[in-house]
Amino acid sequence: DCILEGPVDETTIRVAVRKRPLSATERSNKDTDIIEIQHPRNVVIHEPKKQLDLTPVTESHYFAFDHTFGAEVPNDRVYHTVCLPLVVSMFRGGKSTCFAYGQTGSGKTFAMMGDQGRERAGGGKGRKGHPTGEGWENAGLYALAARDIFQVLAHPAFASRGWTLHVSFFEIYGGKLFDLLNRRAPVRCLEDARQHVRFLGLTEKAVVSVEELLTTMAEGQSQRSTGSTAANADSSRSHAVLQLSLKGHACAERSAGRSPVTSGPEAKSMLQHGKRNVRVKDSNQGRLKEPVIGSFSFIDLAGSERGADTRNTEKATRMEGAEINTSLLALKEVIRALDRKQNHTPFRGSKLTQVLKDSLVGARAKTAMLACIAPALSSCEHTLNTLRYADRVK
Ligand code: ADP
Ligand code: MG
């Protein structure tokens, strides 16, 4: 049975909350679980407090969202509720975006990249195999989406159309873009004359199977933590953007296989044309003739607590914190503006929102925000901040 045969879901923005289990460290520290998930929509934080006379009381904070998931819920169930409608939309010409928001250690990467993706990114002892069979339960949301996408593409009704899936993966760190599929090479993001977002020097790889995508992503993911050259980006300080695009059959001959233009006269001439009049004349030219049917962006956001790092004594860390704070606030404002169908959407507020502009605007754009929370008492303040942020988005 094909995923496209289900009912069409018109929801444009959905906000979900997911709690992770208590970690071994938290358990050994006798940290307690203060989060109650009331399936399917509610979350309650039971915050222990002391009254003036020191008698203990519990203050409960109540929140409601589109979906809430407890610590026992695996990625594939989150996927089914939050992402599958966005995959279906993609086949109908939609642009879908899923954000993972939350403090460092709350489960963003676990959701986006899966349990195996994380192990491999850590290098060394990780499992070598790909998530097949039972291992799919906690595969990354992007991998679960790709599995469904390839299943549709292989369906008799689609196989003859010659549609293909392409992936790009980059990091936004300190307001700059780095290509995770090309050794963190710098990427320029500009607006063309028609105000469409264009990426100069970004690798876009055609993938023919989930396995190929997983391998590609594992390599890219390893660039995140180990690619610490000039920009010493530990992954909690950057936003990682994975874009899957579904493309139609090429009208002219394809130029796949050529590497992106990052230097040389071609790149120079593109840059000289500046913001207003960029001629998209790079190696993507051939590929651009393959019309984009739909896209799905998965964004593993920087740790939300980093935005509060603005009082750090180290200047670099302080600046980073300010940058992250600005981008997360800008993202919230943009999503709110989109939801209210305001005429003016403040995309220019940050690099993150500029980069995502094309994915977030328009009648066919759909967005999901997965707010990840840790269950422990020691994370109470951050968890409250995350839920307040998510609450404001809806
Ligand atoms: P973040 O990316 O938000 O910093 P991670 O995804 O790296 O956080 O998660 C922190 C730790 O918690 C990791 O060891 C991860 O495997 C574990 N974890 C996160 N979410 C879950 C979950 N839903 N179930 C089991 N373990 C989880
Ligand atoms: Mg992470």
PDB file of all heavy atoms in Angstrom, residues 4 102 179 219 264 273 288 333 356:
ATOM      1  N   LEU A   4       0.804   7.479  -0.372  1.00  0.00           N
ATOM      2  CA  LEU A   4       0.078   8.596  -0.983  1.00  0.00           C
ATOM      3  C   LEU A   4      -1.422   8.345  -1.039  1.00  0.00           C
ATOM      4  O   LEU A   4      -2.193   9.227  -1.394  1.00  0.00           O
ATOM      5  CB  LEU A   4       0.598   8.844  -2.402  1.00  0.00           C
ATOM      6  CG  LEU A   4       2.075   9.193  -2.505  1.00  0.00           C
ATOM      7  CD1 LEU A   4       2.436   9.585  -3.924  1.00  0.00           C
ATOM      8  CD2 LEU A   4       2.438  10.321  -1.549  1.00  0.00           C
ATOM      9  N   GLY A 102      15.727  22.455  21.061  1.00  0.00           N
ATOM     10  CA  GLY A 102      15.878  22.037  22.455  1.00  0.00           C
ATOM     11  C   GLY A 102      17.294  22.245  22.961  1.00  0.00           C
ATOM     12  O   GLY A 102      18.212  22.510  22.174  1.00  0.00           O
ATOM     13  N   ASP A 179      29.776  23.317   3.862  1.00  0.00           N
ATOM     14  CA  ASP A 179      29.256  22.139   3.180  1.00  0.00           C
ATOM     15  C   ASP A 179      29.729  20.855   3.860  1.00  0.00           C
ATOM     16  O   ASP A 179      30.911  20.528   3.819  1.00  0.00           O
ATOM     17  CB  ASP A 179      29.747  22.168   1.720  1.00  0.00           C
ATOM     18  CG  ASP A 179      29.044  21.130   0.857  1.00  0.00           C
ATOM     19  OD1 ASP A 179      28.358  20.251   1.417  1.00  0.00           O
ATOM     20  OD2 ASP A 179      29.184  21.213  -0.373  1.00  0.00           O
ATOM     21  N   GLU A 219      28.979  10.222   6.649  1.00  0.00           N
ATOM     22  CA  GLU A 219      30.210  10.960   6.355  1.00  0.00           C
ATOM     23  C   GLU A 219      30.039  12.434   6.695  1.00  0.00           C
ATOM     24  O   GLU A 219      30.884  13.048   7.326  1.00  0.00           O
ATOM     25  CB  GLU A 219      30.562  10.824   4.855  1.00  0.00           C
ATOM     26  CG  GLU A 219      31.130   9.464   4.503  1.00  0.00           C
ATOM     27  CD  GLU A 219      31.111   9.210   3.002  1.00  0.00           C
ATOM     28  OE1 GLU A 219      31.058  10.192   2.222  1.00  0.00           O
ATOM     29  OE2 GLU A 219      31.123   8.028   2.615  1.00  0.00           O
ATOM     30  N   GLY A 264      37.568  29.924  -9.081  1.00  0.00           N
ATOM     31  CA  GLY A 264      37.754  30.081 -10.517  1.00  0.00           C
ATOM     32  C   GLY A 264      36.880  31.184 -11.072  1.00  0.00           C
ATOM     33  O   GLY A 264      36.080  31.776 -10.347  1.00  0.00           O
ATOM     34  N   HIS A 273      28.337  39.568  -9.421  1.00  0.00           N
ATOM     35  CA  HIS A 273      26.998  40.034  -9.747  1.00  0.00           C
ATOM     36  C   HIS A 273      26.209  40.410  -8.499  1.00  0.00           C
ATOM     37  O   HIS A 273      25.148  40.996  -8.597  1.00  0.00           O
ATOM     38  CB  HIS A 273      26.236  38.987 -10.557  1.00  0.00           C
ATOM     39  CG  HIS A 273      26.610  39.026 -11.999  1.00  0.00           C
ATOM     40  ND1 HIS A 273      27.720  38.381 -12.465  1.00  0.00           N
ATOM     41  CD2 HIS A 273      26.060  39.674 -13.037  1.00  0.00           C
ATOM     42  CE1 HIS A 273      27.823  38.610 -13.768  1.00  0.00           C
ATOM     43  NE2 HIS A 273      26.829  39.389 -14.142  1.00  0.00           N
ATOM     44  N   LEU A 288      19.426  22.005 -12.839  1.00  0.00           N
ATOM     45  CA  LEU A 288      18.282  22.879 -12.615  1.00  0.00           C
ATOM     46  C   LEU A 288      17.182  22.618 -13.633  1.00  0.00           C
ATOM     47  O   LEU A 288      16.041  22.958 -13.422  1.00  0.00           O
ATOM     48  CB  LEU A 288      18.710  24.347 -12.679  1.00  0.00           C
ATOM     49  CG  LEU A 288      19.429  24.840 -11.430  1.00  0.00           C
ATOM     50  CD1 LEU A 288      19.905  26.259 -11.624  1.00  0.00           C
ATOM     51  CD2 LEU A 288      18.515  24.754 -10.216  1.00  0.00           C
ATOM     52  N   GLU A 333       9.833  34.167  15.165  1.00  0.00           N
ATOM     53  CA  GLU A 333       9.049  35.263  14.583  1.00  0.00           C
ATOM     54  C   GLU A 333       8.577  34.918  13.174  1.00  0.00           C
ATOM     55  O   GLU A 333       7.451  35.202  12.796  1.00  0.00           O
ATOM     56  CB  GLU A 333       9.863  36.566  14.551  1.00  0.00           C
ATOM     57  CG  GLU A 333      10.150  37.136  15.936  1.00  0.00           C
ATOM     58  CD  GLU A 333       8.921  37.202  16.844  1.00  0.00           C
ATOM     59  OE1 GLU A 333       7.834  37.577  16.349  1.00  0.00           O
ATOM     60  OE2 GLU A 333       9.025  36.833  18.028  1.00  0.00           O
ATOM     61  N   LEU A 356      16.503  29.615   4.820  1.00  0.00           N
ATOM     62  CA  LEU A 356      15.323  28.754   4.733  1.00  0.00           C
ATOM     63  C   LEU A 356      14.120  29.419   4.072  1.00  0.00           C
ATOM     64  O   LEU A 356      13.066  28.804   3.948  1.00  0.00           O
ATOM     65  CB  LEU A 356      14.924  28.289   6.134  1.00  0.00           C
ATOM     66  CG  LEU A 356      15.944  27.387   6.804  1.00  0.00           C
ATOM     67  CD1 LEU A 356      15.528  27.096   8.228  1.00  0.00           C
ATOM     68  CD2 LEU A 356      16.103  26.091   6.016  1.00  0.00           C
TER      69      LEU A 356
END
